[in-house]
Amino acid sequence: MPPLRTPTYVITSELRDKQAREAMVERLRLGLGGRLKMIETRLAIAAATALLLGTMATSAWSADLGGNCCADLEERIAELEATTARKGNRKVSLTISGQVSKAVLFWDDGFESNQYVVGNKNDQTNFSFDGEATIAPGWMAGYSLTLRVEDNLSDGVDQGDASADRNFQIWKSHWWIAYEKLGRIAVGRESRVSDTAPETDFSEAGLAGYAGVQDVGGGFLLRRADGAFSGLAWGDLGNHFNGDTTDLIRYDTPELMGFVVSASWGADDIWDAGIRYSGEGGGFKFEAVVAYTEVTDAPSDFADVDQSTVVGSAALLHEPSGLNALIAAGHREFDATVADGDGVLRTPDDVKFVYSKLGWLAQLNGLGPTAFYGEYGWFDNFVTSGLDADGVSSLSFTAVANVCAGAGNACRVTDSELEVWGFGVVQHIEAAEMQVFIGYRHHTADFTLVDNAGAGVAGAGIEDFDTIIAGSKIAF
């Protein structure tokens, strides 16, 4: 919003009238919100000037003005009233915030390369409305509404489609009540306890790369060594078990010696519990979190098979040097059987991942911190039992009609492995609440295929996949 520009006015006896001044101040209070103090200061100066010059005022001045000295002031107030956001009452605060996050994604799948303009799913465009009010000493109540913008996101595009969804997503919509001695309870669409559990990070470089490796290029199909596409995308081979948001009831304890314990329960019988610790001393900052999730009513919006997951992360920052490191890991077990590629019911193998990052926060210029990082992720068994015949065939040279027809024909996948490594840099521009970045990643996939006798079968081979994402985020 541009700075307020107050016109010059001719002072008349009308401004000396107390009731007129009070009415004008009230109108300014309603129309200008946070600019009230500046307006009142200017009005006080005008009134003081009026009192000083009042004895020299003549009736001709008023006559020349036609009795309407403040027409231009009223016009300015009307203009500001039409363009100023106001909250509905004076008891509950309103904070509007958000960000715009866009990037260019360069990719190479071994046979084709291109570049797309995308929304950066690592930290996507969104806007939030948050408020709170004091009920009594120690008691607070509030609300949160966050809308995420799905604007051609970096995890939705692929080789054949440069345009993904363009939509709005209700990310959060809940109310909460908190008491400083008992904790906080929230009801509505809110983060599960496992949300952000694998994302503890002091690198200040998450905009370019973080544990959710599927968020950049995850929609691209795996390219076989013969140039054909497989039936799988890179995002199918690994993710970081993040809990995201859903409709739930959540409780968080007050912080005690750096610890906060949390629990949440949502529809379709999904519940989470976790503990977080934050502390600092001796020039170091440390944070760690671990969360447990149980899904017991699958298939549902959360999972196809009943499962339990443990996920967590820990991060360390040496503040004097800016050196930092993190590790995130997760393990998932399944509690039901699924039809495998050969038609046999099997319990999927346990799934696990490990992600690590090393970083350096440096003060190299007057713009703000410069964040350098290197990353490595390993994701195991995300594709095994449950892959159908078409999926198995797409990873081998076996025609679908001949899957499991005999020895040497691929029947099922017994193991999958994804390795991701990369590096990048993020420059913070503090004067504009802005970040500019570039990040590179290399993806490698491997599968173990067997025939109906359990003997190994050679796969078609998968080409490596490379991405470079570069762009910016500006917050408001």
Side-chain angles (χ1 to χ4, degrees):
M1 183 178 294
L4 180 66
R5 296 178 181 175
T6 305
T8 302
Y9 302 100
V10 177
I11 306 300
T12 73
S13 59
E14 182 179 349
L15 285 178
R16 296 198 300 270
D17 182 83
K18 180 179 179 181
Q19 292 182 347
R21 292 201 308 272
E22 291 176 347
M24 188 177 299
V25 169
E26 181 59 20
R27 291 179 63 184
L28 291 170
R29 184 189 303 277
L30 294 174
L32 303 182
R35 303 178 182 213
L36 177 59
K37 290 185 178 180
M38 181 171 59
I39 293 294
E40 289 178 336
T41 299
R42 293 182 180 181
L43 188 56
I45 294 173
T49 305
L51 291 173
L52 179 63
L53 299 179
T55 57
M56 297 184 292
T58 66
S59 59
W61 292 2
S62 296
D64 291 341
L65 293 171
N68 189 18
C69 75
C70 298
D72 49 354
L73 177 60
E74 291 176 354
E75 181 181 351
R76 180 58 177 159
I77 291 172
E79 178 185 343
L80 290 169
E81 284 178 340
T83 59
T84 300
R86 296 185 299 274
K87 60 191 181 70
N89 61 65
R90 297 178 180 276
K91 297 178 181 178
V92 181
S93 68
L94 169 62
T95 300
I96 302 175
S97 61
Q99 63 190 35
V100 176
S101 183
K102 300 292 289 187
V104 179
L105 176 62
F106 302 86
W107 57 269
D108 186 337
D109 67 3
F111 278 79
E112 183 183 359
S113 61
N114 210 330
Q115 58 279 328
Y116 301 153
V117 175
V118 296
N120 184 6
K121 183 61 181 295
N122 283 343
D123 196 359
Q124 73 193 79
T125 299
N126 65 75
F127 53 96
S128 299
F129 303 86
D130 296 280
E132 64 180 38
T134 300
I135 300 174
W139 285 92
M140 300 287 293
Y143 63 90
S144 181
L145 174 62
T146 299
L147 300 180
R148 283 188 168 182
V149 182
E150 297 179 345
D151 53 348
N152 200 37
L153 291 174
S154 55
D155 69 337
V157 294
D158 59 35
Q159 290 96 330
D161 190 358
S163 298
D165 291 340
R166 300 180 187 276
N167 238 319
F168 290 96
Q169 176 190 19
I170 300 176
W171 183 246
K172 290 186 178 182
S173 179
H174 64 269
W175 57 260
W176 56 265
I177 295 177
Y179 180 48
E180 59 184 14
K181 296 182 179 180
L182 297 178
R184 176 183 182 272
I185 187 169
V187 177
R189 191 166 190 82
E190 164 69 306
S191 290
R192 290 162 44 194
V193 172
S194 54
D195 186 19
T196 72
E199 298 175 1
T200 305
D201 191 343
F202 289 135
S203 72
E204 300 291 344
L207 188 62
Y210 80 118
V213 299
Q214 73 281 356
D215 283 351
V216 175
F220 283 81
L221 297 175
L222 277 66
R223 181 82 77 166
R224 301 187 341 180
D226 62 359
F229 289 123
S230 81
L232 296 172
W234 286 98
D236 296 328
L237 274 61
N239 66 74
H240 63 320
F241 300 156
N242 194 53
D244 293 336
T245 65
T246 190
D247 297 307
L248 51 74
I249 301 171
R250 172 170 174 156
Y251 170 71
D252 299 273
T253 68
E255 180 181 321
L256 178 61
M257 300 179 65
F259 290 93
V260 175
V261 179
S262 306
S264 61
W265 173 85
D268 286 334
D269 293 331
I270 182 171
W271 61 270
D272 299 56
I275 185 169
R276 181 181 297 271
Y277 172 78
S278 299
E280 57 183 294
F284 287 91
K285 288 180 64 176
F286 177 76
E287 185 171 339
V289 57
V290 62
Y292 175 82
T293 300
E294 185 85 31
V295 179
T296 59
D297 195 23
S300 66
D301 292 339
F302 309 108
D304 295 326
V305 180
D306 288 355
Q307 58 191 244
S308 57
T309 304
V310 177
V311 64
S313 57
L316 180 69
L317 168 66
H318 183 241
E319 294 181 290
S321 67
L323 295 175
N324 57 84
L326 71 87
I327 186 167
H331 184 273
R332 176 171 290 168
E333 295 181 357
F334 298 93
D335 304 320
T337 59
V338 295
D340 215 340
D342 57 0
V344 177
L345 292 177
R346 291 187 176 88
T347 300
D349 293 336
D350 291 355
V351 178
K352 47 190 174 293
F353 84 91
V354 176
Y355 173 87
S356 59
K357 180 192 282 187
L358 294 176
W360 177 42
L361 273 172
Q363 294 290 341
L364 303 180
N365 54 64
L367 296 174
T370 305
F372 300 91
Y373 73 92
E375 61 179 351
Y376 172 79
W378 174 74
F379 303 81
D380 187 53
N381 279 344
F382 279 77
V383 178
T384 54
S385 301
L387 187 64
D388 61 20
D390 289 302
V392 173
S393 177
S394 73
L395 297 173
S396 69
F397 293 110
T398 303
V400 174
N402 295 322
V403 170
C404 290
N409 291 328
C411 286
R412 60 190 181 92
V413 177
T414 60
D415 182 73
S416 68
E417 184 176 88
L418 167 66
E419 288 187 279
V420 178
W421 61 266
F423 53 87
V425 60
V426 178
Q427 175 63 57
H428 294 250
I429 305 175
E430 295 179 334
E433 285 295 332
M434 191 175 186
Q435 299 175 37
V436 294
F437 69 93
I438 185 169
Y440 166 78
R441 274 200 183 131
H442 180 78
H443 306 68
T444 302
D446 188 42
F447 298 89
T448 300
L449 306 175
V450 298
D451 62 15
N452 57 3
V457 176
I462 301 298
E463 291 290 319
D464 293 349
F465 181 58
D466 295 288
T467 62
I468 297 175
I469 188 167
S472 179
K473 178 187 80 171
I474 185 167
F476 58 88

